[in-house]
Amino acid sequence: MTHNRVQAYYCVQHAYEPLVVRTPEDVDALIDALATGPEFENSAVLHSSERELLPSGFPDHEFRIGADGKRQVGVLGFMDEKNFVSLGSSGSNHGGEVTYFVAENSTEFPATAEIPLALVRQAAKEFLSSGGRRPTCVPWQEPEIW
């Protein structure tokens, strides 16, 4: 089975050489690294090489995954023509927002964006195998600010 190639960025070193994700096992390894790694590297930005680039040379999309290994939850964000974040069944105990970090840069998500970590894995694998489309295995919401 052939899987599409995805480039992932979650630490400073990836600015020059992104992590390449090719298989479901690579997805699991990435999410494990986010869930067990440094607190300020618990989220990654992914771009599928299967999608077109904009005239500027930048990707036409962004898929963001976050993993909190202690609480076994995470978040998803998807941007192309519109911005979406995952929709969990209930908000967390953190109030209105939760924060995840890519290479020490914070991004706030609505608390309702947190979903079980197993679902983050499933969605990331779907993103990989679908050629970079927004995963359909999770419900989505359009955040007020994002």
Side-chain angles (χ1 to χ4, degrees), residues 55-79:
S56 64
F58 290 100
D60 71 342
H61 68 290
E62 179 175 296
F63 183 52
R64 189 173 291 238
I65 59 174
D68 183 327
K70 290 179 185 170
R71 296 187 302 120
Q72 289 296 296
V73 296
V75 293
L76 301 171
F78 189 86
M79 292 159 275

Side-chain angles (χ1 to χ4, degrees), residues 8-139:
Y9 308 82
Y10 67 89
C11 62
V12 174
Q13 294 86 343
H14 295 148
Y16 302 104
E17 188 173 338
L19 176 70
V20 177
V21 178
R22 290 187 176 96
T23 67
E25 294 79 18
D26 291 344
V27 170
D28 285 333
L30 169 61
I31 293 172
D32 290 346
L34 297 175
T36 62
E39 178 183 355
F40 296 107
E41 292 178 356
N42 66 352
S43 181
V45 173
L46 285 72
H47 298 119
S48 173
S49 62
E50 301 296 314
R51 291 189 50 155
E52 296 291 323
L53 295 176
L54 296 170
S56 64
F58 290 100
D60 71 342
H61 68 290
E62 179 175 296
F63 183 52
R64 189 173 291 238
I65 59 174
D68 183 327
K70 290 179 185 170
R71 296 187 302 120
Q72 289 296 296
V73 296
V75 293
L76 301 171
F78 189 86
M79 292 159 275
D80 59 3
E81 294 177 12
K82 287 186 173 183
N83 293 343
F84 296 94
V85 294
S86 47
L87 177 60
S89 59
S90 64
S92 73
N93 296 328
H94 288 86
E97 296 176 336
V98 291
T99 304
Y100 286 78
F101 299 86
V102 174
E104 300 183 11
N105 295 300
S106 65
T107 300
E108 293 178 345
F109 290 81
T112 57
E114 288 193 315
I115 59 176
L117 198 53
L119 197 50
V120 172
R121 287 180 193 279
Q122 182 180 347
K125 290 174 185 178
E126 184 179 337
F127 176 78
L128 174 69
S129 66
S130 72
R133 286 189 235 118
R134 181 165 46 105
T136 59
C137 65
V138 297

